[in-house]
Amino acid sequence: GAGVSQTPSNKVTEKGKYVELRCDPISGHTALYWYRQSLGQGPEFLIYFQGTGAADDSGLPNDRFFAVRPEGSVSTLKIQRTERGDSAVYLCASSLRGRATSNEQFFGPGTRLTVL
Amino acid sequence: SQQGEEDPQALSIQEGENATMNCSYKTSINNLQWYRQNSGRGLVHLILIRSNEREKHSGRLRVTLDTSKKSSSLLITASRAADTASYFCATESLGNDMRFGAGTRLTVKP
């Protein structure tokens, strides 16, 4: 596809369950980012991948959150033992190059996670 | 944590009027970007302005950057109902994550 895609678009789960959110970046983009956006707020940085490696995971709120990008393309954000406070829209973005250069990030439509 | 702060939080204007949104930030930056978001979903990139630039234009959009005041403004001229959205500024420092503000909610009435 032409843009960043994310699946599922909506996810409803129960407190304590495990969820996986998927991101397909634009083909050829080396950098991939995950953000979390709560209602009425701007996106908050979670993690940045350059290729296959997590170059910066300083935004992950705690060890229940983990993300992988095993082949340097698709990424999965994993949340264990979900809590109601995890409810938010999770946004993925990709860019052609990483943070060493100023370049535009292209965002996906997001996954709206609701933890009941 | 968020760095940029947009002002105002909400703005309502009539179609045809100009809309000005401001962004202030706290630390030195490499660049500042403006994004638009409809209905709380995906963000669309509008303009990137580097720290050594003072003004950029793109169609009906004009962005200014004043690094001495750590502020930026986004001007939308001749607004349309379709411009109704939330607008976010995001700052990027070399090697650091991009920080977004809380956004300005713009409503353009037809």
Side-chain angles (χ1 to χ4, degrees), chain A:
Chain A
V4 178
S5 62
Q6 292 185 246
T7 54
S9 56
N10 287 284
K11 176 70 177 179
V12 180
T13 191
E14 293 179 343
K15 181 175 177 292
K17 298 290 187 182
Y18 168 82
V19 296
E20 288 190 351
L21 312 179
R22 176 187 168 109
C23 173
D24 281 82
I26 293 173
S27 177
H29 280 195
T30 63
L32 185 145
Y33 312 79
W34 283 99
Y35 295 85
R36 178 169 72 173
Q37 186 177 22
S38 300
L39 192 63
Q41 298 297 314
E44 286 191 281
F45 168 77
L46 295 177
I47 187 169
Y48 155 58
F49 285 91
Q50 185 59 46
T52 60
D56 181 357
D57 64 358
S58 62
L60 295 178
N62 51 60
D63 61 6
R64 295 187 297 105
F65 289 74
F66 189 71
V68 296
R69 194 186 185 200
E71 297 178 358
S73 178
V74 171
S75 176
T76 304
L77 178 66
K78 308 180 180 190
I79 310 174
Q80 298 177 321
R81 304 183 303 281
T82 52
E83 299 177 356
R84 292 193 180 89
D86 299 335
S87 297
V89 175
Y90 289 80
L91 295 164
C92 175
S94 69
S95 63
L96 186 60
R97 299 176 297 276
R99 284 180 180 170
T101 58
S102 295
N103 60 137
E104 175 185 350
Q105 292 186 23
F106 294 83
F107 280 79
T111 293
R112 186 179 300 278
L113 175 66
T114 303
V115 182
L116 301 176

Side-chain angles (χ1 to χ4, degrees), chain B residues 17 22 28-29 50 56 61 86 91 100 108 110:
Chain B
E17 294 180 340
N22 302 297
S28 296
I29 62 171
R50 292 181 169 78
K56 284 189 85 167
L61 307 180
S86 291
T91 57
F100 286 82
V108 182

Side-chain angles (χ1 to χ4, degrees), chain B residues 7-49:
Chain B
D7 168 54
Q9 291 184 334
L11 179 62
S12 182
I13 59 175
Q14 293 294 134
E15 210 167 24
E17 294 180 340
N18 295 342
T20 299
M21 289 161 270
N22 302 297
C23 170
S24 59
Y25 57 93
K26 297 172 184 171
T27 63
S28 296
I29 62 171
N30 199 42
N31 67 70
L32 185 145
Q33 304 182 41
W34 283 91
Y35 285 83
R36 166 198 167 115
Q37 184 178 42
N38 289 80
S39 305
R41 299 306 286 261
L43 282 82
V44 175
H45 183 265
L46 297 176
I47 289 185
L48 181 154
I49 185 165

